[in-house]
Amino acid sequence: MSLKKAYENYFRIGTSISRKNLENPNALEELQKHYNSITCENTMKPMFFLDEEANVANPGKYNTNPALRFEIAKPFLNVARDNGIAMRGHTLVWHNQTGDWFFKENYSKEEDAPLASREVMLARMENYIKGVLEFVQTEYPGVIYAWDVVNEAVEETHTDGWRDSLWLKTIGKDFVVQAFRFARKYADKDVKLFYNDYNAFWPEKMKYIIQNILEPLCKEGIVDGMGMQTHLVRDESNLEDYEKAVETYGAMGLEIHATEIDIHVTDPGEEGMQVLADMYRRIFEIYTNACKSGKAKVTAVVFWGMKDDESWLTNFRKERSYPLLFGDNWEEKDAYHAVMEVAGK
Ligand code: GLA
């Protein structure tokens, strides 16, 4: 039995992958066995597709139409295509992992260089989105089924909710709507467009996302789904709020993707791994119940990493984390069995 088989009547099961996974035959085998969706953990972020050297060297030529390069993504797209695994595109517009120079007049790398105008940034945004979508759709038709068009535009701690980013500073609050318009203009018809954010189940943040991001996009009919990243933390994440959020976004008629699941747990012993299994059981019940009751169309559930020792959390939190279904040696953890039980397997 495998995860994707167990959940074939519900939703796609996905994982993020990194370069390390591509070079490891075990990873490839696990990929083929368990998953029918993959997301590049890093490779499709703007800092990799933007050809910094070319743009900075020749700002006159590339001022509104940035030079792009795609070689780095090809091994991932090849794996997806060759194994019949669909891919989530992640991510077109983000404040992070996008060089500051991209937002500056003449692509300047001077720290105090002025920001480019709204008009120039709108053109850069449009041509970036166009270039990326045309590349994948021409060379890998049908491989990418959904895009995170905008990632993390809302910051719950910020007084007025909008994250203080260079996108916001240069274009203004409509940068989100503009990005989705461009994405809809250039994406193939059946490609689904998502807004993606972390802690999207925190009641205040959810309210803000709905009012400021999703409702305007829904009104124009240019968004298909809500990406709930789902980086959860033991003893902190409130799964009742999480369930309500799945249903609330679902009630807006949006598809739901859980796009980046992991659960930060630092205790690899019996107790910690039991808590992990219980939390995984609960969130998978939330997904399957939403599908059964029709309260939300959950269509993809994606883990952020294939096994514990490769998770970003250990570096980010500076505490070794055991957040996934598979242990360091690919062993199936209690959490794996809990997830299989929810599917009746
Ligand atoms: C965010 C981003 C991901 C990744 C994680 C950390 O959630 O959306 O692409 O960078 O942070 O790994």
Side-chain angles (χ1 to χ4, degrees), residues 41 45 90 94 97 151-152 196 229 231 260 304 312:
E41 186 171 350
K45 292 171 177 171
H90 174 75
W94 193 25
Q97 291 186 276
N151 197 26
E152 302 176 344
N196 193 47
Q229 288 187 6
H231 295 291
E260 305 181 18
W304 206 243
W312 72 293

Side-chain angles (χ1 to χ4, degrees), residues 180 184 193-195 213-214 217-226 254:
F180 275 83
R184 195 63 283 162
L193 305 183
F194 279 72
Y195 174 71
I213 309 266
L214 296 176
L217 294 174
C218 286
K219 219 188 258 168
E220 283 192 39
I222 50 177
V223 63
D224 299 292
M226 176 63 203
L254 294 165

Side-chain angles (χ1 to χ4, degrees), residues 12-192:
R12 287 181 193 277
I13 295 284
T15 181
S16 67
I17 56 167
S18 62
R19 181 155 287 278
K20 226 186 310 180
N21 301 135
L22 285 186
E23 288 155 4
N24 179 339
N26 286 338
L28 226 47
E29 211 176 287
E30 295 291 317
L31 205 60
Q32 289 159 338
K33 177 173 175 192
H34 285 296
Y35 306 97
N36 44 22
S37 176
I38 50 178
T39 309
C40 288
E41 186 171 350
N42 280 301
T43 308
M44 291 196 175
K45 292 171 177 171
M47 66 178 281
F48 295 102
F49 281 164
L50 285 167
D51 188 337
E52 176 174 338
E53 212 180 293
N55 287 306
V56 170
N58 204 341
K61 178 168 177 201
Y62 297 119
N63 189 33
T64 55
N65 194 3
L68 306 177
R69 48 163 191 205
F70 299 112
E71 275 318 299
I72 189 172
K74 287 184 178 170
F76 295 89
L77 286 154
N78 289 340
V79 162
R81 183 196 55 203
D82 298 347
N83 291 285
I85 304 176
M87 187 182 261
R88 295 192 84 260
H90 174 75
T91 173
L92 293 170
V93 171
W94 193 25
H95 65 283
N96 208 351
Q97 291 186 276
T98 309
D100 284 1
W101 60 269
F102 181 64
F103 300 89
K104 300 288 179 64
E105 261 181 23
N106 299 317
Y107 296 130
S108 172
K109 294 187 80 171
E110 300 295 327
E111 215 170 291
D112 52 0
L115 292 173
S117 69
R118 171 179 158 91
E119 286 61 41
V120 166
M121 284 314 297
L122 280 171
R124 287 180 188 174
M125 178 193 261
E126 172 162 9
N127 286 318
Y128 178 79
I129 290 175
K130 176 172 186 256
V132 172
L133 293 180
E134 282 181 355
F135 159 71
V136 295
Q137 291 168 178
T138 309
E139 298 210 17
Y140 294 89
V143 169
I144 296 193
Y145 69 104
W147 273 98
D148 291 328
V149 177
V150 175
N151 197 26
E152 302 176 344
V154 170
E155 189 169 38
E156 63 282 354
T157 52
H158 194 274
T159 41
D160 89 342
W162 286 90
R163 175 185 300 283
D164 189 15
S165 74
L166 291 176
W167 283 116
L168 185 73
K169 276 206 177 87
T170 51
I171 293 182
K173 289 180 181 169
D174 64 332
F175 85 87
V176 174
V177 164
Q178 300 282 2
F180 275 83
R181 285 183 192 150
F182 295 141
R184 195 63 283 162
K185 180 168 165 192
Y186 297 108
D188 285 343
K189 270 209 192 61
D190 55 346
V191 170
K192 301 285 174 80

